[in-house]
Structure formats: structure tokens, C-alpha cells
């Protein structure tokens, strides 16, 4: 279990010619217990084997492909390059598309809270953006790609 928030992502808030280096942190924690598989006789770790379910034999990972069933028992194989091509490209930016009144944003559309913090000596310009948003009652509607998924973001 983590006790301190770690930086999940590093990039920059951008709009127009403005570029503010920031780190993204989780603002909420999920509590839980992570269980490890262990051999009860020796407490040695237990791993996963790649087994061909028809033959029962172990298979090398180089012989594994990803496929989508399009008809009962028939598959189309999708290459790693094809999979990568359909995911949004990571730009390492939180790109503000526009500014809106804070009361116009129904927060029910937002999945989970994060917070951004300035990095690389961007404290002053970050504080200027934050204070301007507060003074004007605006939020920045933005898009950000984290891992391979694009998200809607509201900066306020």
C-alpha cells in the first residue's frame, strides 16, 4: 500500500504558446490488499505458465498472437503494430482546448480526481494560471493521453 502520492505522469499543460511543466498525481486512493500466489510448503512464489488449452503443453511467448473471433472458432490475428496504430498517441501534454465557466462543467463526466503540480521551476507560471482560473471562475477543458487512453480533463 502506498502512503504518499507518486508522480504518475510527467508532461506539460499547454494552450496557445503557453507550456507549463507539471507532474500528475492521484488525488484519491483505493484501499485494498494485494495477494501474491505462494507455494504453501515453502512460500516460494508461484508463477504463470502459458499453456495451450487444447494440448496442455507449455508454449513459448514468441508463438502467442492476439486474435479476435469473428465467427465461431475463426479468428483474425491483429499485429502489435496494428494495435498500436489505433491507440491515441501520447503527447505528454494536457492540452487545454478552451476555457469555460466552472458551473458549466457537469463533474459527473469526470472519472477520477487527479492533481497537477508544477515541476522544473514552473511554479510561478503555474500559480499565475491557477490564480487566473480562480479569479475568473473558469476551468480549462483539456484532453490528455495517459498510457494508451485519451481522457477529458478539467483544470480548475
Amino acid at each position: 500500500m502506498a502512503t504518499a502520492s507518486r508522480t504518475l505522469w510527467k508532461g506539460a499543460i499547454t494552450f496557445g504558446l503557453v507550456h507549463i511543466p507539471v507532474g500528475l498525481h492521484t488525488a484519491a486512493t483505493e484501499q485494498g490488499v494485494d495477494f501474491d500466489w505462494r507455494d504453501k510448503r515453502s512460500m516460494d512464489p508461484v508463477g504463470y505458465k502459458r499453456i495451450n488449452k487444447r494440448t496442455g503443453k507449455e508454449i513459448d511467448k514468441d508463438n502467442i498472437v492476439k486474435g479476435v473471433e469473428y465467427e465461431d472458432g475463426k479468428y483474425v490475428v491483429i499485429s502489435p503494430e496494428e494495435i498500436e496504430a489505433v491507440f491515441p498517441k501520447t503527447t505528454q501534454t494536457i492540452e487545454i482546448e478552451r476555457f469555460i465557466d466552472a458551473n458549466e462543467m457537469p463533474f459527473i463526466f469526470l472519472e477520477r480526481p487527479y492533481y497537477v503540480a508544477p515541476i522544473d521551476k514552473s511554479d510561478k507560471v503555474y500559480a499565475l494560471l491557477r490564480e487566473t482560473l480562480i479569479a475568473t471562475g473558469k476551468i480549462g477543458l483539456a484532453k490528455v493521453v495517459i498510457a494508451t487512453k485519451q481522457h477529458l480533463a478539467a483544470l480548475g
Side-chain angles (χ1 to χ4, degrees):
M1 291 191 296
T3 56
S5 175
R6 65 180 178 82
T7 303
L8 298 173
W9 175 94
K10 286 184 181 180
I13 296 171
T14 64
F15 59 98
L17 298 175
V18 177
H19 181 88
I20 306 168
V22 294
L24 186 70
H25 305 264
T26 57
T29 59
E30 294 180 14
Q31 297 292 328
V33 177
D34 289 332
F35 292 100
D36 295 326
W37 286 15
R38 298 286 170 174
D39 182 327
K40 70 178 180 179
R41 299 165 296 179
S42 63
M43 293 308 291
D44 291 334
V46 175
Y48 296 91
K49 283 189 174 184
R50 293 172 180 94
I51 304 293
N52 179 316
K53 290 182 179 181
R54 186 178 55 80
T55 66
K57 293 183 179 178
E58 190 170 354
I59 184 171
D60 187 81
K61 76 175 192 171
D62 292 338
N63 289 320
I64 298 174
V65 295
K66 292 185 178 182
V68 176
E69 189 174 34
Y70 64 91
E71 197 175 288
D72 192 29
K74 294 187 179 182
Y75 293 83
V76 61
V77 174
I78 310 294
S79 72
E81 296 78 21
E82 290 169 316
I83 293 170
E84 183 181 327
V86 299
F87 285 114
K89 300 295 179 229
T90 300
T91 60
Q92 294 308 114
T93 59
I94 299 172
E95 191 174 332
I96 297 176
E97 299 287 317
R98 64 182 175 175
F99 295 94
I100 64 170
D101 290 332
N103 62 2
E104 290 180 43
M105 179 66 192
F107 285 95
I108 195 161
F109 293 118
L110 302 176
E111 294 176 22
R112 87 177 31 118
Y114 294 94
Y115 70 90
V116 293
I119 57 173
D120 299 333
K121 300 178 184 174
S122 65
D123 299 32
K124 288 181 181 177
V125 69
Y126 177 81
L128 178 61
L129 173 62
R130 183 190 65 227
E131 295 305 317
T132 301
L133 291 173
I134 291 168
T136 60
K138 301 282 186 185
I139 60 173
L141 278 184
K143 62 182 177 181
V144 60
V145 176
I146 301 172
T148 59
K149 186 176 178 186
Q150 183 171 299
H151 301 271
L152 169 66
L155 295 171

